[in-house]
Amino acid sequence: MGSHAQDHHHGPAKGISRWLFTTNHKDIGSMYLIFSFAMFLIGGAMAMVIRAELFQPGLQIVEPNFFNQMTTMHGLIMVFGAVMPAFVGLANWMLPLMVGAPDMALPRMNNWSFWLLPAAFLMLLSTLFMPGGAPNFGWTFYAPLSTTYGPPSTTFFIFAVHIMGVSSIMGAINVIATILNMRAPGMTLMKMPLFVWTWLITAFLLIAVMPVLAGVVTMMLMDIHFGTSFFDAAGGGDPVLFQHIFWFFGHPEVYIMILPAFGVVSQIIPAFARKPLFGYASMVYAVGAIAILSFLVWAHHMFTVGIPLFGQLFFMYATMLIAVPTGVKVFNWVATMFRGSMTFEAPMLFSVAFVILFTIGGFSGLMLAIAPADFQYHDTYFVVAHFHYVLVPGAIFGIYAAVYYWLPKWTGHMYDEVLAKTHFWMSFVGMNLAFFPMHFLGLAGMPRRIPDYALQFSNFNMISSIGAFMFGLTQLLFLFIVVKCALGGPKAPAKPWEGAEGLEWEVDSPAPYHTFSTPPEIK
Amino acid sequence: MGVQVRQAMAGLAISLLSAPAMADWTMNMTPGVTAVSNEIFNLHMTILWICVVIGVIVFAVMFWSIFAHRKSRGAKPANFHENTTVEILWTVVPILILVGMAIPATSTLVKMYDTEASDLDIMITGYQWRWRYDYIGEDYGFFSSMSTSWDEIYNRTEKGENYLLEVDNPLVIPAGKKVRFLMTANDVIHSWWVPAFAVKKDTIPGFINEAWTRVDKPGIYRGQCAELCGKDHAFMPIVVKVVPPDEYNDWLEAQKEAAARERELTSKDWSLAELVERGQRVYAAQCVACHGAEGRGNPPIFPALRGNERMLGDLQWHLGVLVNGVRGTAMQAYGDQLSEVDLAAVVTFTRNALGNNQGDMVTPLEVRDFKNAQQ
Ligand SMILES: [Cu+2]
């Protein structure tokens, strides 16, 4: 490789300035991943508080107002602080390596979009210590609970959302610019790995909806401080308008959190089945279809708000339609496994679990799409079960699969497979124990976002809490595994996985600080 | 800490061991007691079984592959990566299934939206954190608040059978009649949900939503607020008593008479002690949630009333806050919510209790004059 000779001249800077001023996609990728894991632990600790309070009926540990702060901050931190930055971290590390580019297209902006995040989240977390406490109106922050009735810290929350929005938009621009302009010669769009494809589409979604989020929080800001009444009925405004705008952002947002995971799994399953991905083209079209449909289904979050019958029907049909491309993806993954020659290292275990559990989350999603039935499911633990099934074994297992898959490339060492499998099985059992009973709770009638519940819900809540504690503790094992792998371990070859394919496996492990300074040849 | 852990472990052991003996393992949606709730239940079960069947097929193929096509069993990988027939099939078949689902779902939805031709209309208003029910055309309405005690919630006494699902004044409706609910809210968005009727509708300030039900079987049905509405969202249950139409008519007459008697109390000659005594009950029912049992509130969101200089210093202002509320905050206007007697009582109470000892009072007649002067 031509880049070798240059490594000596362009190694990383020394000390803290390496991290503050770096424009290197690998450094920035690592920072994103470390940041998101720190947020994951903080958001997780909040989940532990929630599950501890719900362990038994009655109020034991926290007051209702603090409980609401915990559910709100847990949601905000997991969505904006853990899952989204983790995928941006993976994109930073892997997209240039996968398309054969020397770096991201806009390296300085890359640095800036990362460093905005700690600022945003420090501000968000500081609201916990403000008079009146942190935001307590749920991560969906419906007006007027969040405007007229919100705590004083709401203003800081709005500013934090603006900053993370800017960060996301810049990250998305960078991804699009890199993928569209910096692919190695010969890598046509339909030759791109699926992780690249899913990220390209995700980035367009981000650019489309983050400004909508920024708009809605700005309207809140105006209502709170500048005397407007966008969402205040007493001043001629409309509280339901808030929900329309929020979910116009919010629904594509859930696909922003899952599409890159689709990409990851589509890389890993063929690698460990030692067989090409089934239906590559249909996978690409399915992701595109899902992305487009995701703009047309937002009001399925609002079936009980009182939208007219016609609207109700439109959003029900559109939502049901999403099951079709999603089904295609699942069938393709299963067909890829079929008649392969499979082994089950940690990345594959997480990917297989992804397919199974995400499918379960998809099924409950289909049930929720049936508008009449949604009148019984809406705002109950059934919904909580549903979105945790798509986000935990969906997004988060996808991230774990990716990390184990590429960790040898990042560190140059193999991770400890026994520990990693332990991490997988404990997470798998804990997660199902925590979230499966929530389906029953919701169907039996337990509303979400309550710190205390009627006695008939006691048993399943206790089981759920035990599972949550187990899942939570297990994630510390992951930290140990990664640190151990970073510090040492068996030397990883350039291509540690027998069936893996792609440009990232053509550079050494660990990947040199600069790669693909001269573009690779695509056959 | 140790004790708590041990209690928790004991609780766990008990609930797991006595599992079969308890009915607390409800896992499914209630079929409910109305035609609509039954239809919804059937839709739910149909889609559930469709998902189960698809799941079993997909996972069977997958687990078979995981079992048989593993490297350790010497499986050699095939090399196929597309098959147009199969791909078209697994796109078209799901669409057909979805159409099959959409038809009954649409028909049920149309029924749920048909609020025409009701026998009785009831206005439901969500408040932080209780419900108000107004019988439209009857000039009668009342508030319905949770009656579970804080001692139960804070584990100081045994929890009752209907813990968190019991209220002081249940909504009463006649059996076999089509009841239309008109729904709105006074402050934030709430959601009125009774699972047995499959009625769940958001109550939104500035909007009036509609829903309806017809319950044939008399009985007591329970539900909860379903939309996060602030601190005590968990504590605004719904109880509906369905009674035979005759009993309903008798009940309504009796309530209206009682309300008229209540109104007459305004002209009675009240002593300070009487007002304080009545005010204590009003305060406990209406104000404790925000201003606290001891009047300490939770500053800066909910001001303390104990030793509140501004309040004690200016009786007119104090009365004004109660009657008109403070716009843009959680402090509601109680002028239309409480009777003049109760307003006088709670103002007098807060000036002469909760550590305050102002010695002055306001009579129900003065409250009436105050309200009239505003108009
Ligand atoms: Cu409520």
Side-chain angles (χ1 to χ4, degrees):
Chain A
M1 283 274 144
S3 63
H4 273 240
Q6 291 173 2
D7 285 346
H8 304 286
H9 306 289
H10 293 283
K14 292 278 169 287
I16 182 81
S17 59
R18 163 170 179 189
W19 303 104
L20 279 178
F21 304 127
T22 183
T23 54
N24 180 288
H25 73 102
K26 301 184 182 80
D27 282 352
I28 295 175
S30 302
M31 289 198 295
Y32 262 110
L33 289 167
I34 293 166
F35 172 82
S36 72
F37 190 69
M39 286 296 130
F40 182 60
L41 292 185
I42 294 173
M46 292 171 175
M48 297 298 104
V49 174
I50 294 169
R51 283 320 315 176
E53 179 54 59
L54 292 175
F55 188 73
Q56 283 183 309
L59 293 177
Q60 287 88 14
I61 298 172
V62 295
E63 288 295 310
N65 189 36
F66 189 72
F67 182 89
N68 289 346
Q69 296 175 36
M70 287 293 105
T71 52
T72 306
M73 296 290 273
H74 165 73
L76 290 170
I77 288 179
M78 287 305 196
V79 168
F80 295 105
V83 173
M84 289 169 68
F87 280 124
V88 181
L90 292 174
N92 255 291
W93 248 106
M94 299 318 298
L95 290 184
L97 288 179
M98 293 173 107
V99 302
D103 205 307
M104 296 295 279
L106 307 158
R108 267 179 218 291
M109 192 165 88
N110 205 9
N111 170 294
W112 182 224
S113 57
F114 170 75
W115 280 109
L116 283 175
L117 279 184
F121 281 90
L122 270 180
M123 178 145 51
L124 186 63
L125 285 171
S126 73
T127 58
L128 279 166
F129 306 100
M130 291 181 186
N136 56 7
F137 29 64
W139 87 275
T140 51
F141 51 98
Y142 279 10
L145 186 61
S146 61
T147 51
T148 315
Y149 297 83
S153 61
T154 308
T155 307
F156 291 87
F157 152 79
I158 292 173
F159 194 29
V161 169
H162 272 138
I163 300 178
M164 54 185 118
V166 171
S167 162
S168 291
I169 292 173
M170 295 198 308
I173 291 174
N174 219 338
V175 165
I176 294 175
T178 307
I179 296 174
L180 292 187
N181 296 319
M182 302 195 40
R183 296 194 309 281
M187 180 175 283
T188 57
L189 286 177
M190 287 313 270
K191 277 190 187 162
M192 294 195 312
L194 260 167
F195 182 67
V196 180
W197 255 117
T198 52
W199 239 116
L200 179 65
I201 292 171
T202 303
F204 278 109
L205 287 183
L206 274 169
I207 291 185
V209 300
M210 289 315 276
V212 178
L213 176 67
V216 78
V217 295
T218 306
M219 289 158 90
M220 282 173 64
L221 188 76
M222 305 281 283
D223 271 12
I224 294 172
H225 291 293
F226 303 114
T228 59
S229 301
F230 289 111
F231 308 132
D232 180 3
D238 180 352
V240 177
L241 175 67
F242 174 91
Q243 299 183 24
H244 283 292
I245 309 178
F246 178 82
W247 286 114
F248 187 82
F249 146 80
H251 200 78
E253 166 68 21
V254 307
Y255 287 100
I256 289 169
M257 291 191 280
I258 200 66
L259 294 185
F262 285 176
V264 166
V265 170
S266 305
Q267 302 294 133
I268 292 176
I269 290 180
F272 292 88
R274 295 167 179 74
K275 181 166 160 279
L277 181 68
F278 188 89
Y280 171 92
S282 70
M283 285 299 220
V284 173
Y285 299 140
V287 174
I290 291 174
I292 291 169
L293 282 174
S294 78
F295 286 104
L296 300 174
V297 297
W298 77 87
H300 70 211
H301 298 271
M302 304 166 56
F303 281 149
T304 65
V305 160
I307 38 182
L309 181 60
F310 175 78
Q312 203 88 339
L313 290 174
F314 172 83
F315 285 107
M316 171 167 83
Y317 300 149
T319 306
M320 292 169 81
L321 217 51
I322 289 200
V324 175
T326 313
V328 166
K329 301 202 68 89
V330 172
F331 300 144
N332 281 343
W333 288 320
V334 173
T336 309
M337 289 190 230
F338 184 67
R339 293 189 49 212
S341 168
M342 280 186 276
T343 51
F344 296 92
E345 290 87 345
M348 184 62 164
L349 284 177
F350 275 105
S351 299
V352 173
F354 172 99
V355 176
I356 298 171
L357 300 176
F358 177 81
T359 305
I360 293 178
F363 284 145
S364 56
L366 186 57
M367 295 170 74
L368 285 158
I370 309 292
D374 184 68
F375 280 84
Q376 294 283 48
Y377 306 136
H378 179 72
D379 263 333
T380 70
Y381 259 85
F382 191 78
V383 177
V384 179
H386 160 69
F387 68 72
H388 281 91
Y389 260 85
V390 289
L391 282 175
V392 178
I396 291 176
F397 277 21
I399 293 165
Y400 279 144
V403 170
Y404 284 122
Y405 186 53
W406 285 312
L407 203 53
K409 179 62 51 195
W410 301 339
T411 63
H413 306 127
M414 296 307 287
Y415 60 84
D416 187 327
E417 192 62 55
V418 174
L419 285 184
K421 283 189 171 147
T422 313
H423 172 223
F424 168 75
W425 283 110
M426 303 265 296
S427 298
F428 182 84
V429 174
M431 174 267 133
N432 281 294
L433 217 49
F435 299 117
F436 210 82
M438 290 184 182
H439 292 110
F440 306 144
L441 285 172
L443 293 176
M446 179 169 162
R448 63 191 284 205
R449 293 169 164 167
I450 54 174
D452 192 8
Y453 47 82
L455 300 178
Q456 68 260 36
F457 306 127
S458 307
N459 294 337
F460 284 127
N461 266 299
M462 194 175 277
I463 296 174
S464 174
S465 288
I466 293 169
F469 298 146
M470 178 173 166
F471 182 82
L473 275 179
T474 305
Q475 306 322 311
L476 298 176
L477 177 61
F478 172 74
L479 179 63
F480 177 77
I481 296 170
V482 173
V483 171
K484 185 170 172 226
C485 177
L487 296 181
K491 176 97 190 63
K495 188 174 121 176
W497 312 116
E498 186 190 3
E501 290 197 23
L503 289 174
E504 76 262 39
W505 308 112
E506 288 177 18
V507 303
D508 287 343
S509 296
Y513 201 57
H514 294 287
T515 36
F516 295 129
S517 302
T518 34
E521 198 70 46
I522 313 283
K523 292 150 285 256
Chain B
M1 185 65 200
V3 179
Q4 276 180 354
V5 171
R6 226 172 308 135
Q7 273 177 356
M9 296 307 274
L12 173 69
I14 291 168
S15 36
L16 291 183
L17 289 178
S18 57
M22 296 201 305
D24 285 355
W25 297 93
T26 318
M27 300 166 77
N28 204 358
M29 184 189 282
T30 168
V33 293
T34 66
V36 166
S37 71
N38 268 292
E39 276 191 28
I40 290 181
F41 177 77
N42 291 335
L43 277 175
H44 158 73
M45 290 314 286
T46 315
I47 185 83
L48 178 64
W49 281 115
I50 291 176
C51 290
V52 169
V53 170
I54 300 175
V56 166
I57 296 171
V58 174
F59 294 150
V61 176
M62 184 164 153
F63 284 120
W64 165 251
S65 314
I66 288 176
F67 170 74
H69 305 150
R70 46 169 68 218
K71 200 181 173 199
S72 56
R73 289 176 62 98
K76 292 273 165 294
N79 202 28
F80 63 87
H81 54 85
E82 56 192 12
N83 182 323
T84 316
T85 325
V86 175
E87 290 180 60
I88 290 178
L89 213 61
W90 70 37
T91 311
V92 173
V93 172
I95 292 181
L96 295 180
I97 296 176
L98 289 176
V99 172
M101 256 337 280
I103 294 169
T106 305
S107 115
T108 305
L109 204 57
V110 170
K111 282 184 204 151
M112 293 171 78
Y113 266 70
D114 176 19
T115 51
E116 300 289 299
S118 60
D119 300 315
L120 170 69
D121 293 349
I122 296 177
M123 184 85 183
I124 299 177
T125 313
Y127 284 78
Q128 279 182 326
W129 292 280
R130 59 222 158 97
W131 299 98
R132 183 178 171 88
Y133 302 117
D134 285 288
Y135 290 73
I136 293 176
E138 300 286 352
D139 191 25
Y140 174 62
F142 58 91
F143 280 96
S144 174
S145 317
M146 182 179 74
S147 58
T148 303
S149 72
W150 292 102
D151 282 341
E152 287 171 72
I153 292 171
Y154 282 102
N155 312 302
R156 292 187 287 255
T157 58
E158 186 98 19
K159 297 184 188 352
E161 187 194 352
N162 292 314
Y163 177 68
L164 299 187
L165 296 180
E166 51 200 349
V167 299
D168 49 4
N169 307 309
L171 174 66
V172 179
I173 60 170
K177 300 266 191 237
K178 180 164 183 177
V179 182
R180 173 166 55 176
F181 301 117
L182 302 171
M183 301 172 163
T184 187
N186 177 62
D187 33 54
V188 300
I189 301 175
H190 304 263
S191 188
W192 197 84
W193 180 32
V194 178
F197 307 164
V199 171
K200 182 189 282 148
K201 238 333 143 42
D202 294 359
T203 68
I204 304 170
F207 279 71
I208 295 184
N209 267 333
E210 292 185 18
W212 69 274
T213 192
R214 177 184 281 120
V215 190
D216 291 325
K217 211 170 117 224
I220 292 183
Y221 303 100
R222 296 171 197 278
Q224 282 180 272
C225 175
E227 179 66 57
L228 176 63
C229 56
K231 185 167 72 70
D232 288 350
H233 165 53
F235 308 128
M236 48 184 296
I238 296 155
V239 179
V240 183
K241 214 168 131 188
V242 181
V243 298
D246 290 344
E247 198 180 324
Y248 166 77
N249 290 332
D250 294 346
W251 172 84
L252 190 60
E253 282 317 310
Q255 294 301 308
K256 279 157 79 174
E257 277 168 32
R261 274 199 304 279
E262 187 79 0
R263 275 194 291 276
E264 280 166 19
L265 283 178
T266 305
S267 358
K268 188 187 146 222
D269 202 7
W270 288 85
S271 74
L272 188 134
E274 283 172 328
L275 282 175
V276 169
E277 194 203 322
R278 192 183 173 99
Q280 175 158 28
R281 286 201 303 273
V282 180
Y283 186 84
Q286 310 283 351
C287 324
V288 169
C290 295
H291 293 293
E294 297 181 356
R296 293 184 204 280
N298 184 11
I301 314 176
F302 302 123
L305 302 184
R306 177 182 282 264
N308 186 320
E309 296 296 333
R310 181 158 60 148
M311 175 183 100
L312 296 175
D314 187 346
L315 181 65
Q316 288 301 309
W317 180 81
H318 185 177
L319 189 54
V321 169
L322 259 289
V323 172
N324 301 321
V326 182
R327 229 193 81 77
T329 76
M331 183 64 201
Q332 309 158 4
Y334 282 95
D336 295 331
Q337 298 185 33
L338 297 178
S339 69
E340 280 138 12
V341 176
D342 284 343
L343 281 169
V346 78
V347 169
T348 308
F349 170 77
T350 42
R351 301 181 73 79
N352 295 288
L354 307 171
N356 301 334
N357 195 2
Q358 203 64 12
D360 56 1
M361 63 184 270
V362 51
T363 65
L365 283 174
E366 284 166 348
V367 173
R368 178 187 292 173
D369 293 344
F370 180 89
K371 280 168 122 185
N372 287 341
Q374 282 188 335
Q375 282 158 6

